[in-house]
């Protein structure tokens, strides 16, 4: 069906515009007409897809309006009116990180030289397209110099030449970064900037001043860069793994600026120095929602399912937290969501067997769901991008576009949502139907379709009693790992999957009542966190549970998402750091912390505009509370209140 | 001796001694402090509670128990534990659970890595933990060398204290009322026992933190403060934690069908004055609020 629609769309001459207007509408509901009117569409009618994409790039470079503010330290101009048309049947790449180190070492001239040399040996159509792309970038740079007044000085050497100072390195990155945005890629990550920039480090004060200005530039065009929700920009800076002065400077600079964007993922391991832990604590305590802490030992080990050890060690992440190799993998880590409750709905319909048979039925139904998901994913081709390909060294080496297997790795990722709800449902079924024999398994479907209307007290019992996802009890851990194994058995060899997903609200809306006591339409559990944090749970318990999960199979994002009250956080610098360090040491994969004051949150829920600076962490990004849709604000407050009852 | 009567096990506890700890709240106390914020820990038997705000009026309890017409009636049947536990929301329930020592050991050692990395450990609190000293001793022996703190009023028989002397790293001692008659009248405790026990732990040189709940009018009054300062000086104590009283226990009183007594916290100025007074005689004071 989907294939047929795509085919049909392809035959309508104006269909790319329909999609473009649809996208604009979704991003600018309030000001759709205004935005649509000023939008400048970048189209091409070339038959050959690569040529079409090169022409689009040329049009961006020729047509982009150039903006600069006198007095700014860096040149960073994005023409937000541009809309690079997408064509039916193609999926545009995004949510990944280019190799900025190659740009800094070689400059555009150096990259062009590589292409020229290859062209000498072989007349290759694709290489010629890359050459045209480089020329387009150089043309744009020329225009920028002409139109940027006193700032033009900074573009004299870079990005053409290799960077020779921290200032040049940062400018070079900003220049290419701005083009990636204008060319229509979304969720553009920045990679391991402390490592990439280390050769250009000057002294503490100067470097810090420059980094702060760099961050200020990246924070611009915040709305334009936001993907689905405001703040969801994907501008992730990955720090750590190895540590240098720049690791500290980035953390300090972000903390001092106190902005939600860009965001930081901090790689931690046994060698993470104490002062870095201390800085993370201070940053989190400010309520910025970052750094997200990412466990090197667990991730590097897991990544070796598909990636070389050396490459695995260099991991960075997609927009939220899903690991990938910057400049080497074209991985699309967020291709689809698998709602783990849906297969249970199917498995329970007409089911009449023992608990083991139920798990088998679940696995079969899960496999069908996965097949459907994969079919949908694979019905689209990847849209070529000569611009991205220029900064993926393997694409140059192989003279192949990133969309056509030019990169070393191309392992796509799937997310799962509802694991907590599934596990709690299964634990309840085991307790109520098999241990206590109070309800027959074949009755469950009716109870759920009735949305607990005639089983009011049962709903509460299911929600409150028995073992729950997130408890460090062997039965809970074993069951969760069994589901992880089912997913891995089906997906391995071609796809990665993870245990964290942004779709807990949207998937919840379309999912009927579940046997964990969740009414129809309510949100699903968030990441690897208890579905409901109750007063008799503890942070140590959640971390112990999370540390036992089989991340060697499920590593496309595995975040424990906790909330902690600001007053408690202030009081326990040593204990908090000890808690997180121990959790990482024990094998928790990733940790995200929201530090919140429930009293302020409750007030902000009533009058969001009165708290314009209140920052919260949603999915894998930080953002202003006031900018979020109401349902997202509510779920944050609800969770914060659960965690604030801690110790009651 | 093989089991303990426990009301709550609080993991990641950070208020009852150093580092990350697990605090075991034991049920049963021999004092009757009017400001008590854990009324569920006073009786030495299991107790049924009813939290009205959590009741959804599903009447599962009434369906189960022929004696009940409404959930509140359960207070007339204090032994009907199973009826209370049939409540789906936990509005009706039971304070206190008998836990076997082996099971407790298992729970308490789950967070050992967190204790070790933060110089934390395990705290036995209550109620009065010394009342279950024999069973505690059994548990502690099995979880050595984890750091052990005992939060006590020291108003328990001497032999109970002696059970734990060789196994405790830290005593958190609540000093409350230091007048013999007032202690008898208000707390129903014999101050002689307290003093005797205090000298025992002092002689043993076990680390001790003195805490003093500042409750008006019971403990925070001229006479008692004077006696407190004398006590500190006589015993050469240079540090004290003053605890601000709070009324967070109100819901628990209600849930037990009990009335909370009236008391007040000191004014800011009064705390300041006390701090100054203690400073002058080189006693460091921390004021802890919940």
């Amino acid at each position: 069906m989907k294939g047929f629609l795509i085919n049909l769309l392809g035959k309508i001459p104006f269909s790319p515009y329909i999609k473009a207007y649809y996208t604009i509408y979704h991003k600018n509901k309030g000001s759709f007409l205004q935005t649509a009117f000023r939008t400048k569409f970048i189209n091409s009618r070339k038959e050959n897809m690569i040529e079409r994409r090169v022409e689009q790039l040329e049009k961006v470079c020729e047509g982009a309006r150039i903006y600069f503010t006198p007095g700014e330290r860096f040149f960073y101009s994005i023409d937000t009116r541009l809309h690079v048309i997408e064509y039916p049947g193609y999926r545009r790449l995004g949510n990944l990180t280019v190799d900025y180190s190659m740009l800094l070492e070689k400059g555009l001239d150096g990259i062009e030289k590589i292409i020229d040399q290859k062209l000498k040996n072989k007349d290759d159509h694709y290489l010629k397209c890359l050459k045209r792309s480089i020329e387009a970038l150089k043309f744009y740079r020329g225009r920028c110099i002409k139109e940027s007044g006193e700032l033009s000085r900074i573009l004299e050497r870079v990005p053409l030449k290799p960077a020779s100072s921290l200032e040049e390195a940062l400018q070079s990155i900003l220049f290419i970064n701005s083009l990636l945005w204008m060319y229509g890629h979304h969720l553009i990550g920045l990679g391991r900037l402390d490592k990439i920039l280390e050769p250009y480090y000057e002294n503490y004060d100067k470097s810090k001043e420059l980094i702060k200005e760099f961050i200020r530039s990246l924070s611009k065009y915040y709305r334009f860069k936001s993907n689905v929700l405001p703040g969801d920009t994907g501008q992730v800076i990955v720090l750590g793994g190895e540590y240098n002065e720049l690791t500290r400077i980035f953390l300090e600079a972000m903390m001092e600026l106190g902005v939600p964007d860009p965001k930081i993922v901090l790689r931690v391991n046994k060698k993470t120095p104490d002062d870095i832990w201390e800085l993370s604590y201070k940053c989190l305590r400010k309520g910025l929602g970052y750094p997200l802490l990412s466990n090197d030992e667990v991730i590097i080990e897991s990544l070796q399912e598909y990636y070389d050890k050396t490459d695995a060690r260099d991991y960075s992440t997609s927009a939220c937290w899903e690991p990938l190799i910057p400049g080497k993998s074209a991985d699309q880590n967020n291709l689809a969501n698998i709602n783990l409750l849906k297969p249970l709905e199917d498995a329970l319909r007409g089911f009449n067997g023992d608990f083991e048979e139920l798990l088998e039925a679940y696995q079969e139904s899960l496999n069908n769901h996965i097949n459907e998901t994969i079919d949908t994913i694979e019905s689209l081709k990847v849209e070529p991008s000569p611009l991205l390909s220029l900064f993926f060294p393997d694409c140059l080496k192989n003279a192949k576009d990133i969309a056509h297997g030019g990169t070393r790795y191309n392992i796509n990722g799937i997310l799962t949502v509802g694991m907590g709800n599934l596990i709690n449902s299964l634990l309840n079924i085991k307790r109520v139907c098999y241990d206590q024999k109070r309800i027959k398994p074949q009755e469950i479907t009716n109870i759920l379709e009735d949305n607990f209307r005639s089983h009011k007290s049962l709903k509460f019992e299911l929600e409150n009693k028995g073992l729950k996802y997130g408890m460090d009890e062997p039965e809970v851990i074993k069951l969760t790992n069994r589901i992880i194994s089912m997913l891995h058995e089906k997906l391995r060899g071609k796809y990665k999957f993870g245990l964290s997903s942004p779709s807990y609200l949207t998937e919840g809306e379309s999912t009927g009542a579940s046997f964990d006591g969740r009414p129809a339409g309510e949100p699903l559990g968030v990441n690897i966190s208890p579905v409901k944090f109750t007063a008799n749970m503890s942070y140590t318990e959640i971390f112990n549970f999370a540390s036992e999960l089989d991340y060697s199979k499920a590593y496309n994002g595995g975040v424990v998402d906790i909330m902690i009250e600001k007053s408690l956080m202030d009081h326990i610098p040593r204990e908090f750091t000890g808690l997180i360090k121990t959790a990482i040491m024990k094998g928790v994969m990733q940790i995200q912390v929201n530090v919140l004051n429930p009293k302020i949150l409750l007030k902000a829920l009533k009058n969001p505009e009165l708290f314009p600076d209140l920052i919260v962490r949603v999915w894998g990004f930080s953002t202003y509370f006031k900018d979020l849709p109401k349902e997202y604000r509510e779920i944050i407050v609800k969770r914060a209140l659960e965690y604030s009852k801690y110790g009651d | 001796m093989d089991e303990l009567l426990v009301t709550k096990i609080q993991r990641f506890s950070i208020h009852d001694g150093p580092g990350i700890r697990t605090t075991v709240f034991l049920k049963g106390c021999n004092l009757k402090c009017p400001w008590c914020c854990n009324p569920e820990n006073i009786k030495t038997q299991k107790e049924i509670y009813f939290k009205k705000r959590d009741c959804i009026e599903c009447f599962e309890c009434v369906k189960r128990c022929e004696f009940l017409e409404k959930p509140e009636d359960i207070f007339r049947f204090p032994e009907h534990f199973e009826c209370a536990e049939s409540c789906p929301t936990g509005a009706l329930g039971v304070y206190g659970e008998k836990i076997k020592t082996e099971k407790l050991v298992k729970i308490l050692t789950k967070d050992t890595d967190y204790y070790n990395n933060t110089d934390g450990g395990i705290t036995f609190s209550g109620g009065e933990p010394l009342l279950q000293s024999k069973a505690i001793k059994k548990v502690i022996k099995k979880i050595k060398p984890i750091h052990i703190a005992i939060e006590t009023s020291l108003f328990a028989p001497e032999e109970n204290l002696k059970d734990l002397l060789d196994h405790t790293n830290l005593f958190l001692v609540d000093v409350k009322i230091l007048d013999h008659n007032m202690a008898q009248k208000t707390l129903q405790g014999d101050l002689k026992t307290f003093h005797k026990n205090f000298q025992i732990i002092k002689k043993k040189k076990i680390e001790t933190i003195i805490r003093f709940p500042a409750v008006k009018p019971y403990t925070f009054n001229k006479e008692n403060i004077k006696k407190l300062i004398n006590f500190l000086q006589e015993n050469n104590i240079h540090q004290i934690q003053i605890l601000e009283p709070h009324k967070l226990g109100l819901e628990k009183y209600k849930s037990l069908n009990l009335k909370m007594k009236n008391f007040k916290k000191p004014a800011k100025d009064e705390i300041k004055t006390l701090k100054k007074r203690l400073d002058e005689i080189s006693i460091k004071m921390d004021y802890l609020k919940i």
Side-chain angles (χ1 to χ4, degrees):
Chain A
M1 183 67 192
K2 193 143 183 164
F4 169 74
L5 275 178
I6 290 164
N7 243 329
L8 189 73
L9 274 174
K11 297 205 164 40
I12 306 172
F14 291 111
S15 66
Y17 288 97
I18 298 171
K19 185 172 178 200
Y21 278 116
Y22 181 76
T23 314
I24 294 167
Y25 172 72
H26 262 264
K27 273 184 86 169
N28 307 279
K29 274 180 191 151
S31 54
F32 168 63
L33 279 178
Q34 211 180 337
T35 318
F37 189 69
R38 61 187 272 276
T39 296
K40 191 171 168 184
F41 291 105
I42 305 289
N43 197 3
S44 162
R45 299 203 184 280
K46 289 266 192 275
E47 268 301 307
N48 178 297
M49 195 60 191
I50 298 272
E51 281 174 28
R52 195 186 282 184
R53 295 286 289 147
V54 173
E55 191 175 75
Q56 281 183 315
L57 182 62
E58 286 167 344
K59 283 185 177 173
V60 167
C61 291
E62 284 157 18
R65 213 181 265 172
I66 290 161
Y67 303 87
F68 84 99
T69 324
E72 269 180 325
R73 194 76 166 79
F74 290 108
F75 176 81
Y76 189 60
S77 170
I78 291 180
D79 184 352
T80 59
R81 302 167 313 145
L82 302 186
H83 187 102
V84 178
I85 293 279
E86 281 180 81
Y87 301 97
Y90 286 92
R91 171 160 36 79
R92 180 165 293 170
L93 289 167
N95 215 341
L96 41 68
T97 306
V98 303
D99 184 3
Y100 283 117
S101 57
M102 182 177 69
L103 171 73
L104 302 185
E105 277 163 34
K106 299 190 165 38
L108 290 180
D109 281 348
I111 295 172
E112 190 175 19
K113 213 183 257 171
I114 299 175
I115 298 167
D116 285 341
Q117 234 143 31
K118 288 205 137 216
L119 272 171
K120 253 189 227 161
N121 302 333
K122 186 182 154 209
D123 185 47
D124 179 89
H125 175 252
Y126 183 66
L127 287 170
K128 277 186 188 156
C129 287
L130 284 183
K131 167 103 177 153
R132 271 174 62 197
S133 304
I134 283 260
E135 277 161 4
L137 300 188
K138 288 164 90 171
F139 177 78
Y140 178 62
R141 175 231 169 218
R143 287 184 54 219
C144 293
I145 288 189
K146 256 185 238 155
E147 295 179 38
S148 60
E150 79 251 39
L151 249 184
S152 62
R153 170 197 63 85
I154 204 168
L155 292 169
E156 262 165 33
R157 283 182 34 83
V158 286
L160 296 189
K161 305 276 177 264
S164 63
S165 65
L166 186 61
E167 184 188 47
E168 285 186 1
L170 295 169
Q171 179 59 66
S172 206
I173 292 173
L174 286 172
F175 186 89
I176 298 305
N177 177 276
S178 70
L179 278 157
L180 289 167
W181 284 109
M182 283 192 275
Y183 195 42
H185 293 295
H186 57 277
L187 301 167
I188 299 299
L190 291 142
R192 302 180 66 190
L193 288 185
D194 53 349
K195 182 171 172 259
I196 294 167
L197 294 169
E198 194 179 11
Y200 311 97
Y201 175 72
E202 286 162 47
N203 62 58
Y204 177 86
D205 289 331
K206 187 167 180 211
S207 300
K208 189 161 169 185
E209 188 253 311
L210 285 167
I211 299 280
K212 271 192 171 174
E213 292 302 328
F214 173 76
I215 290 167
R216 281 203 184 101
S217 294
L218 284 175
S219 314
K220 294 196 332 187
Y221 310 106
Y222 179 74
R223 292 278 167 165
F224 167 79
K225 289 174 177 176
S226 295
N227 197 37
V228 181
L229 294 176
D232 177 20
T233 64
Q235 299 203 101
V236 176
I237 297 173
V238 178
L239 301 175
E242 299 137 59
Y243 305 86
N244 58 41
E245 276 312 294
L246 285 162
T247 320
R248 292 176 181 89
I249 288 173
F250 265 107
L251 280 168
E252 284 171 9
M254 286 301 298
M255 188 164 69
E256 284 162 27
L257 292 171
V259 286
D261 188 58
K263 4 257 161 198
I264 290 177
V265 168
L266 179 67
R267 288 178 44 172
V268 290
N269 52 50
K270 284 194 193 89
K271 289 180 185 157
T272 306
D274 283 345
D275 70 316
I276 296 285
W277 284 112
E278 209 175 297
L279 269 174
S280 313
Y281 164 76
K282 284 185 185 159
C283 213
L284 287 169
R285 183 177 128 177
K286 260 199 101 175
L288 298 171
Y290 55 75
L292 177 130
L293 300 155
S294 191
N295 189 342
D296 278 358
E297 272 101 8
V298 170
I299 292 175
I300 292 168
E301 187 66 35
S302 301
L303 281 172
Q304 290 175 51
E305 182 181 23
Y306 294 112
Y307 308 84
D308 280 353
K309 192 165 188 181
T310 333
D311 289 333
R313 282 201 187 113
D314 194 36
Y315 83 89
S316 173
T317 71
S318 317
C320 288
W321 40 55
E322 303 82 359
L324 48 66
I325 320 298
K328 289 194 176 117
S329 55
D331 308 359
Q332 295 295 282
N333 279 339
N334 298 16
L335 269 190
N337 277 290
I338 293 179
N339 177 346
L340 295 173
L341 273 181
K342 294 270 183 185
L344 184 62
E345 269 176 26
D346 295 349
L348 279 169
R349 208 159 282 133
F351 176 79
N352 181 16
D354 62 23
F355 189 64
E356 187 52 38
E357 285 165 342
L358 177 63
L359 290 178
E360 283 161 20
Y362 180 82
Q363 180 161 16
E364 199 188 319
S365 160
L366 176 68
N367 287 346
N368 293 338
H369 276 260
I370 293 176
N371 286 342
E372 278 172 34
T373 307
I374 291 178
D375 282 351
T376 313
I377 295 171
E378 294 182 351
S379 66
L380 290 176
K381 279 185 276 188
V382 181
E383 178 193 71
S385 174
L387 179 59
L388 278 177
S389 304
L390 282 174
F391 304 102
F392 279 77
D394 292 321
C395 294
L396 299 181
K397 201 174 115 200
N398 302 328
K400 254 190 195 172
D401 194 88
I402 185 169
H404 301 142
T407 52
R408 190 170 308 179
Y409 304 107
N410 211 337
I411 317 287
N412 291 327
I414 286 172
L415 310 177
T416 63
V417 66
M419 181 69 94
N421 306 85
L422 169 71
I423 297 298
N424 288 350
S425 299
L426 289 171
L427 289 166
N428 279 332
I429 292 172
K430 182 160 183 291
R431 183 171 59 90
V432 177
C433 302
Y434 298 103
D435 297 346
Q436 303 175 347
K437 299 194 170 59
R438 283 162 44 206
I439 291 173
K440 292 195 181 96
Q442 53 269 45
E443 293 171 55
I444 294 177
T445 303
N446 280 339
I447 294 173
L448 295 179
E449 280 177 357
D450 176 51
N451 201 12
F452 298 112
R453 263 181 290 262
S454 41
H455 291 83
K456 197 173 149 202
S457 55
L458 178 67
K459 174 213 171 309
F460 283 92
E461 193 212 298
L462 296 176
E463 199 183 0
N464 293 313
K465 300 229 163 152
L467 293 174
K468 295 280 173 262
Y469 182 76
M471 290 181 174
D472 52 355
E473 295 291 333
E475 188 180 341
V476 184
I477 295 163
K478 216 175 125 194
L479 186 60
T480 310
N481 278 334
R482 176 132 181 221
I483 304 293
I484 289 176
S485 291
M486 289 181 191
L487 283 156
H488 186 251
E489 206 174 291
K490 178 72 186 161
L491 288 165
R492 75 169 163 211
K494 201 163 176 200
Y495 288 96
K496 306 175 277 191
F497 70 97
L499 303 176
S500 304
S501 159
S503 62
Y504 46 85
L505 265 167
T506 42
E507 280 297 330
E509 272 169 29
S510 62
T511 307
S514 43
F515 212 62
D516 55 335
R518 182 190 134 280
E522 291 284 303
L524 304 177
V526 177
N527 303 330
I528 307 175
S529 306
V531 176
K532 184 178 160 193
F533 186 83
T534 59
N536 49 19
M537 285 181 166
S538 75
Y539 297 118
T540 49
E541 177 167 31
I542 302 174
F543 285 137
N544 283 352
F545 164 77
S547 72
E548 297 286 334
L549 300 184
D550 193 350
Y551 299 111
S552 69
K553 295 181 177 131
Y555 54 87
N556 192 36
V559 179
V560 179
D561 186 303
I562 59 164
M563 305 240 167
I564 182 165
E565 213 175 322
K566 172 84 166 75
S567 56
L568 176 62
M569 185 79 170
D570 286 345
H571 183 72
I572 53 164
R574 245 185 90 242
E575 288 78 9
F576 179 81
T577 308
L579 172 74
I580 302 293
K581 265 168 104 165
T582 311
I584 294 285
M585 182 198 88
K586 288 178 84 104
V588 174
M589 182 171 148
Q590 289 166 325
I591 300 172
Q592 162 163 302
V593 188
N594 247 312
V595 177
L596 296 165
N597 178 339
K599 277 183 196 148
I600 290 181
L601 272 181
L602 282 172
K603 283 185 198 161
L605 190 62
K606 277 188 194 147
N607 288 307
E609 296 303 326
L610 293 181
F611 300 87
D613 300 327
L614 178 62
I615 292 174
V616 291
R617 184 85 176 175
V618 199
W619 302 351
F621 65 89
S622 303
T623 187
Y624 293 109
F625 185 73
K626 68 172 168 54
D627 290 345
L628 286 171
K630 194 160 162 274
E631 59 273 25
Y632 283 91
R633 295 203 291 254
E634 282 169 353
I635 196 167
I636 283 180
V637 176
K638 184 175 155 250
R639 291 190 69 225
L641 290 177
E642 282 171 15
Y643 281 80
S644 77
K645 290 207 184 92
Y646 193 69
D648 242 15
Chain B
M1 245 194 291
D2 279 336
E3 50 188 25
L4 289 101
L5 187 60
V6 175
T7 28
K8 185 171 180 171
I9 298 170
Q10 174 79 60
R11 293 165 65 182
F12 192 70
S13 163
I14 31 82
H15 294 296
D16 305 307
I20 294 179
R21 314 188 70 80
T22 297
T23 301
V24 185
F25 292 93
L26 292 158
K27 191 157 162 53
C29 188
N30 49 349
L31 294 187
K32 304 280 173 290
C33 308
W35 60 87
C36 179
C37 60
N38 294 319
E40 79 281 18
N41 292 339
I42 297 174
K43 271 198 189 158
T44 45
Q45 300 89 30
K46 295 210 281 183
E47 264 174 295
I48 290 178
Y49 66 76
F50 174 57
K51 295 177 183 166
K52 200 170 170 79
R53 61 170 182 188
D54 291 339
C55 179
I56 53 163
E57 295 176 1
C58 65
F59 296 99
E60 282 295 318
C61 49
V62 175
K63 278 178 228 163
R64 190 188 163 93
C65 179
E66 52 182 315
F67 299 102
L68 304 183
E69 276 175 27
K70 52 185 189 308
E72 286 91 334
D73 294 345
I74 197 114
F75 288 123
R76 290 194 278 125
F77 305 96
E79 300 287 317
H80 284 215
F81 299 123
E82 283 184 13
C83 305
E85 276 167 345
S86 70
C87 173
T89 67
L92 271 177
V94 179
Y95 287 130
E97 182 192 351
K98 285 188 177 162
I99 300 184
K100 290 248 185 288
T101 48
E102 300 91 67
K103 191 179 164 198
L104 193 60
V105 167
K106 236 185 191 167
I107 299 171
L108 296 180
T109 46
K110 280 183 166 182
D111 291 349
T112 306
D113 292 328
Y114 301 91
Y115 311 149
N116 291 344
N117 286 346
T118 59
D119 301 318
I122 291 160
T123 301
F124 290 92
S125 178
E128 174 52 66
L130 292 188
L131 298 183
Q132 302 189 49
S133 58
K134 295 255 179 321
I136 293 179
K137 183 176 172 180
K138 228 174 161 180
V139 173
I140 299 181
K141 277 181 149 180
K142 284 186 192 149
I143 55 179
K144 273 191 164 176
I146 296 175
H147 181 276
I148 301 293
I150 307 274
E151 187 177 20
T152 170
S153 68
L154 291 180
F155 277 86
E158 193 183 317
E159 60 266 27
N160 292 35
L161 175 66
K162 284 186 171 163
D163 283 333
L164 299 177
L165 275 182
D166 293 333
H167 309 281
T168 303
N169 305 86
L170 170 69
F171 279 101
L172 299 158
V173 176
D174 269 11
V175 177
K176 302 167 197 267
I177 294 177
L178 289 161
D179 176 86
H180 192 85
N181 289 334
M182 290 303 282
Q184 192 66 53
K185 200 179 131 205
T186 316
L187 312 174
Q188 298 176 25
D190 183 356
L191 202 58
K192 272 191 225 148
T193 319
F194 166 79
H195 282 302
K196 207 168 171 195
N197 281 338
F198 189 79
Q199 292 314 316
I200 294 174
I201 56 172
K202 199 181 157 195
K203 217 168 154 188
K204 265 278 192 179
K205 294 195 171 121
I206 299 169
E207 192 190 347
T208 302
I209 293 175
I210 303 292
R211 294 172 145 190
F212 176 75
V215 190
K216 284 173 92 171
Y218 300 105
T219 68
F220 201 91
N221 57 57
K222 245 186 188 168
E223 287 304 303
N224 202 41
I225 299 264
K226 207 169 137 192
K227 287 193 162 128
L228 172 71
I229 291 176
N230 280 342
F231 172 79
L232 295 175
Q233 286 184 314
E234 271 166 27
N235 288 295
N236 206 14
I237 297 163
H238 293 285
Q239 204 169 351
I240 185 166
Q241 295 181 347
I242 307 282
L243 310 174
E244 183 186 64
H246 58 77
K247 299 196 171 170
L248 297 175
L250 183 64
E251 287 300 320
K252 293 192 218 168
Y253 276 96
K254 281 191 198 163
S255 76
L256 287 164
N257 206 21
L258 297 172
K259 283 231 156 62
M260 189 165 75
K261 298 216 170 57
N262 209 9
F263 58 84
K264 275 185 192 155
K265 60 181 178 188
K268 272 184 194 161
D269 285 355
E270 292 174 304
I271 292 294
K272 252 190 203 163
T273 317
L274 176 63
K275 190 173 169 66
K276 217 173 140 195
R277 204 166 145 196
L278 290 171
D279 263 354
E280 281 164 12
I281 48 172
S282 321
I283 296 173
K284 188 178 170 279
M285 177 194 125
D286 291 307
Y287 190 51
L288 306 184
K289 300 176 188 185
I290 279 287

